């Protein structure tokens, strides 16, 4: 009979935590002990979620008829949020990032430590939420292994262009933060680490961050018994979605900071969270917890903010913009190229748009940018940088390499294109109704030039191949082709950001970054790094003192 009471409650009121079931039974006159006993003994159609235990050994209970229903998932998410568990921050942080992140970045967004005594590790959170279907691992072309919300939590179709655009926009934003921190001396000049720059995320204490660097500002420094300075740390996470972020994402960031404070001998931390927008509750919550709640506009001014917003929107709809609003490419370069490292990251995707615009204007037809196709024979995927079709009779697939003029296309790149990418695309085209009877053209365009052996391979393969045509354009040919358009804006953009960029003039005997470092620093010429005190090394901060 006891089990029947619990079953009726779950059937009428829906899934809930066992602690809530006990309160309902207590409200009906049972003692606390009797209520707990009745809930623990409930069997039959009363089920408990396996693989997920809430604080104080509370379980999520449901009637078997509700399993996998909208009511079930809604109640589970609500229970995770109200139970102060380690799981809710990860879910809400993912929701505030469009429901998907690269797997490597899950440790950054989850709000949980990599490893910390008495706390659930980030990877354990991932495993448990994946086990019950809230999270799902998928492979995204051009990104790799990613974590997304399960279909029952979010049935939104992943928009690949938007996702990749978001990652690039966040990368440019992080470069801006790095530049800002270096120029103001907020973090050691050459020891600021960014996510994605190495296989390991930036780490301070037991947590991963989007950006981290040692900080020697006076309020942040402490001294050991030998009077050796021990730095604090600048830590920063960024979120760029084009929408206001909610409190959930801020709570995950705050959770990292709160648990960091529990560690012994941890240095002071300067926390910065940057998003393009916040809702009011999220902003007030973050500010009340002592976080610098920044936006691109407040930190870097309107031009950079507008450039980042334009970048996200443009790359999310690259083909349409390339066809009708090529000025957006120029605007992005003009507003963002001054950020150190931005041009290097922008050249590739923006060159695809330049090529798309040029072939649309000069040779007509419809274009697509970044189209992913699958070879039906082997299941392998390939990305067509720029696809142009005309009258259902001819198809052009352009491989685009937007390098600065000093970076030649290597033999290995051409071999991969000829031996792997073209066969996969060709097989897809020949078995697709729309393209089956079309004449295929494959072209490799670059703003630089080709190594001699790469050019030789292109020439010999072109002469031997009969099933489709193979062509190529180097920087000089690309510029000549772009000049055929009445407007000279594309030629000017190519000249400024590809052909005449300072990197093209670097001495080949020197490392590019080393030479760039000799150009300017705070408006003064710096000839060698030794002229400035850059002795504060990230790795010299007695790492085992701060990581437990």
């Amino acid at each position: 009979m006891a089990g029947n009471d619990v079953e009726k409650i779950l059937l009428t009121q829906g899934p809930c935590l066992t602690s809530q079931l006990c309160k309902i039974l207590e409200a009906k006159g049972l003692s606390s002990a009797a209520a707990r006993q009745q809930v623990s003994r409930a069997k039959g159609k009363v089920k408990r979620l396996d693989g997920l235990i809430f604080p104080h050994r509370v379980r999520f209970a449901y009637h078997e008829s509700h399993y996998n229903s909208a009511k079930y998932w809604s109640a589970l998410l609500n229970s995770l949020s109200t139970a102060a568990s380690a799981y809710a921050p990860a879910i809400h942080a993912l929701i505030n990032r469009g429901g998907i992140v690269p797997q490597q970045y899950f440790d950054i967004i989850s709000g949980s430590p990599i490893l910390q005594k008495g706390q659930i590790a980030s990877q354990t959170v991932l495993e448990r939420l994946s086990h019950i279907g809230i999270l799902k691992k998928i492979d995204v072309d051009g990104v790799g292994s990613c974590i997304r919300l399960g279909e029952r939590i979010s049935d939104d179709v992943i928009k690949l262009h938007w996702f990749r655009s978001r990652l690039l926009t966040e990368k440019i934003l992080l470069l801006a933060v790095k530049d800002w921190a270096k120029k103001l001396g907020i973090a050691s000049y050459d020891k600021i680490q960014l996510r994605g720059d190495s296989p390991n995320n930036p780490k301070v204490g037991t947590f991963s961050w989007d950006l981290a660097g040692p900080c020697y500002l006076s309020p942040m420094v402490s001294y050991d018994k030998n009077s050796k300075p021990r730095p604090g740390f600048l830590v920063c996470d960024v979120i760029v979605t084009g929408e206001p972020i909610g409190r959930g994402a801020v709570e995950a960031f705050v959770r990292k900071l709160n648990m960091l404070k529990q560690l012994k001998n941890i240095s002071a931390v300067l926390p910065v969270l940057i998003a393009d927008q916040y809702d009011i509750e999220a902003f007030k919550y973050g500010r009340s917890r002592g976080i610098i709640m920044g936006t691109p506009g407040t930190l870097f001014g309107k031009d950079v903010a507008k450039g980042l917003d334009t970048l996200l929107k443009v790359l999310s709809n690259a083909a349409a913009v390339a066809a009708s609003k090529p000025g957006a490419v120029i605007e992005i370069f003009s507003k963002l190229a001054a950020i150190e490292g931005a041009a290097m990251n922008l050249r590739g995707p923006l060159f695809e748009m330049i090529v798309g615009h040029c072939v649309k204007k000069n040779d007509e037809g419809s274009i697509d940018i970044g189209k992913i196709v699958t070879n039906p024979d082997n299941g392998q995927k390939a990305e067509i940088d720029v696809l142009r079709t005309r009258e259902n009779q001819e198809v052009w697939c352009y491989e685009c390499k937007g390098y600065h003029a000093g970076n030649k296309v290597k033999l290995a790149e051409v071999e991969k294109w000829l031996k792997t990418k073209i066969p996969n695309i060709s097989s897809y085209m020949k078995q697709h109704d729309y393209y089956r009877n079309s004449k295929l053209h494959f072209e490799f365009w670059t703003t630089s030039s080709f190594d001699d052996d790469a050019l030789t391979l292109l020439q010999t393969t072109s002469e031997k191949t009969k099933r489709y045509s193979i062509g190529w354009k180097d920087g000089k040919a690309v510029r000549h082709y772009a000049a055929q358009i009445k407007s000279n804006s594309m030629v000017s953009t190519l000249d400024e950001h590809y052909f005449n960029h300072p990197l093209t003039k670097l001495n080949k005997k020197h490392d590019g970054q080393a030479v760039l470092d000799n150009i300017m620093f705070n408006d003064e010429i710096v000839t060698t790094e030794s002229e400035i005190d850059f002795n504060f090394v990230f790795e010299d901060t007695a790492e085992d003192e701060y990581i437990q």
Side-chain angles (χ1 to χ4, degrees):
M1 187 66 183
N4 287 340
D5 288 342
V6 175
E7 182 179 325
K8 289 177 182 177
I9 294 171
L10 291 174
L11 189 59
T12 56
Q13 297 194 27
C16 64
L17 296 175
T18 52
S19 56
Q20 292 174 276
L21 284 173
C22 288
K23 290 180 180 179
I24 293 172
L25 290 172
E26 288 174 27
K28 292 184 176 184
L30 271 67
S31 66
S32 297
R36 288 195 301 271
Q37 188 177 62
Q38 191 169 128
V39 170
S40 65
R41 291 180 177 179
K43 304 293 183 183
K45 296 183 178 181
V46 176
K47 305 296 180 182
R48 295 165 186 80
L49 179 62
D50 291 328
L52 205 63
I53 299 176
F54 292 77
H56 310 297
R57 304 194 65 79
V58 171
R59 303 287 296 277
F60 180 75
Y62 59 94
H63 191 277
E64 67 176 15
S65 64
H66 292 152
Y67 179 70
N68 221 15
S69 65
K71 180 181 288 188
Y72 170 90
W73 290 108
S74 176
L76 179 55
L77 287 179
N78 184 62
S79 297
L80 288 168
S81 298
T82 58
S85 70
Y87 309 106
I91 296 170
H92 289 296
L94 194 57
I95 290 172
N96 277 273
R97 289 168 173 82
I100 182 170
V101 294
Q103 184 173 354
Q104 181 184 348
Y105 300 165
F106 185 81
D107 285 345
I108 297 173
I109 73 147
S110 69
S112 291
I114 303 167
L115 187 65
Q116 186 171 331
K117 186 176 180 180
Q119 303 293 340
I120 300 176
S122 177
Q123 288 302 303
T124 302
V125 171
L126 175 57
E127 290 169 7
R128 291 178 180 176
L129 291 179
S130 299
H131 176 72
I132 63 176
I134 289 181
L135 302 183
K136 180 180 180 182
K137 183 189 294 186
I138 64 171
D139 189 71
V140 175
D141 294 291
V143 180
S145 182
C146 295
I147 303 300
R148 65 156 294 175
L149 294 171
E151 288 82 354
R152 291 288 182 173
I153 304 300
S154 173
D155 57 1
D156 293 340
V157 176
I158 295 175
K159 298 176 181 178
L160 181 59
H161 286 309
W162 177 87
F163 178 42
R164 292 166 67 178
S165 300
R166 176 170 68 82
L167 294 178
L168 178 57
T169 305
E170 289 182 349
K171 174 68 173 180
I172 303 301
L173 177 55
L174 284 168
L175 288 171
V177 177
K178 180 180 181 179
D179 203 26
W180 167 77
K182 285 165 59 175
K183 289 177 178 177
L184 292 179
I186 295 175
S188 292
Y189 185 81
D190 58 348
K191 295 301 173 184
I192 301 173
Q193 299 178 1
L194 303 183
R195 74 180 195 198
D197 282 354
S198 70
N200 299 316
N201 296 318
K203 184 169 66 172
V204 172
T206 55
F207 291 90
S208 295
W209 313 85
D210 284 337
L211 176 150
C215 175
Y216 281 85
L217 294 178
S218 179
M220 305 292 292
V221 176
S222 59
Y223 295 87
D224 62 19
K225 60 183 179 182
N226 296 318
S227 298
K228 180 181 178 180
R230 191 175 74 170
F233 289 92
L234 167 69
V235 296
C236 175
D237 286 351
V238 301
I239 308 172
V240 176
T241 62
E243 301 289 338
I245 68 165
R247 174 167 167 160
V250 182
E251 286 178 338
F253 187 73
V254 170
R255 189 170 188 269
K256 293 200 292 184
L257 296 172
N258 287 342
M259 281 192 282
L260 199 60
K261 294 175 183 177
Q262 298 174 15
L263 300 175
K264 295 180 180 179
N265 300 320
I266 190 68
S267 296
V269 168
L270 179 62
V272 180
L273 182 63
I274 305 176
D276 37 10
Q277 300 176 66
Y278 304 90
D279 66 30
I280 295 177
E281 183 182 4
F283 185 77
K284 289 183 176 179
Y285 176 76
R287 287 287 294 271
S288 70
R289 298 310 190 272
I291 298 170
I292 297 175
M293 301 287 284
T295 67
T298 57
L299 287 176
F300 313 117
K302 291 182 180 180
D303 278 355
V304 170
K306 179 66 183 300
L308 291 168
D309 183 60
T310 302
L311 178 64
L312 180 63
K313 293 175 180 176
V314 163
L315 295 185
S316 298
N317 198 19
V321 175
S324 60
K325 297 180 180 179
V329 175
I330 301 170
E331 180 183 356
I332 290 170
F333 269 126
S334 67
K335 296 186 183 305
L336 299 179
I339 298 170
E340 184 178 326
M344 180 177 65
N345 288 274
L346 292 172
R347 281 195 198 98
L350 294 186
F351 180 55
E352 293 174 9
M353 296 185 65
I354 291 172
V355 171
H357 175 71
C358 290
V359 299
K360 172 73 174 176
K361 286 291 185 181
N362 282 338
D363 295 314
E364 301 181 337
S366 61
I367 64 168
D368 197 357
I369 294 178
K371 181 178 178 65
I372 305 292
V373 300
T374 303
N375 183 344
D377 296 329
N378 57 23
Q380 294 183 3
K381 296 182 182 297
E383 181 178 0
I384 305 173
D385 291 345
V386 177
L387 172 66
R388 180 170 65 89
T389 59
R390 189 170 65 184
E391 299 175 354
N392 296 344
Q393 294 179 355
E394 291 192 85
V395 176
W396 283 262
C397 301
Y398 302 90
E399 180 78 359
C400 304
K401 297 297 180 184
Y403 296 150
H404 64 76
N407 185 11
K408 291 186 177 183
V409 175
K410 308 299 183 185
L411 175 63
E413 295 176 271
V414 172
E415 285 181 329
K416 183 177 180 180
W417 179 63
L418 292 172
K419 298 178 180 180
T420 303
K421 200 166 188 179
I422 287 181
N424 285 330
I425 296 173
S426 177
S427 294
Y428 166 82
M429 295 289 182
K430 290 302 182 183
Q431 298 185 51
H432 192 286
D433 290 340
Y434 186 80
Y435 304 108
R436 181 175 295 142
N437 299 317
S438 300
K439 185 176 180 180
L440 298 181
H441 306 266
F442 294 92
E443 300 203 359
F444 197 121
W445 289 24
T446 180
T447 49
S448 61
S449 57
F450 296 90
D451 273 344
D452 291 343
D453 49 2
L455 188 58
T456 299
L457 179 60
L458 284 169
Q459 292 168 339
T460 55
T461 306
S462 175
E463 293 169 359
K464 294 178 181 179
T465 304
K466 305 301 180 184
R467 289 173 295 170
Y468 40 74
S469 69
I470 293 176
W472 58 92
K473 279 183 171 58
D474 61 11
K476 183 178 180 180
V478 168
R479 191 184 188 282
H480 177 75
Y481 183 84
Q484 297 174 31
I485 303 173
K486 291 182 180 179
S487 170
N488 64 359
S489 59
M490 287 297 102
V491 173
S492 298
T493 301
L494 287 168
D495 284 344
E496 182 177 358
H497 300 289
Y498 295 89
F499 304 137
N500 299 331
H501 191 272
L503 280 175
T504 67
K505 303 174 183 178
L506 292 176
N507 188 324
K508 294 181 180 179
K509 295 182 180 180
H510 295 282
D511 174 73
Q513 186 59 49
V515 177
L516 285 179
D517 286 345
N518 289 343
I519 298 175
M520 293 290 291
F521 180 75
N522 288 346
D523 298 327
E524 294 182 0
I525 297 296
V526 178
T527 56
T528 64
E529 195 173 82
S530 62
E531 293 185 27
I532 296 180
D533 184 7
F534 289 147
N535 294 322
F536 302 137
V537 181
F538 206 170
E539 290 78 4
D540 287 346
T541 53
E543 184 178 8
D544 55 349
E545 285 190 56
Y546 312 127
I547 300 176
Q548 300 181 356

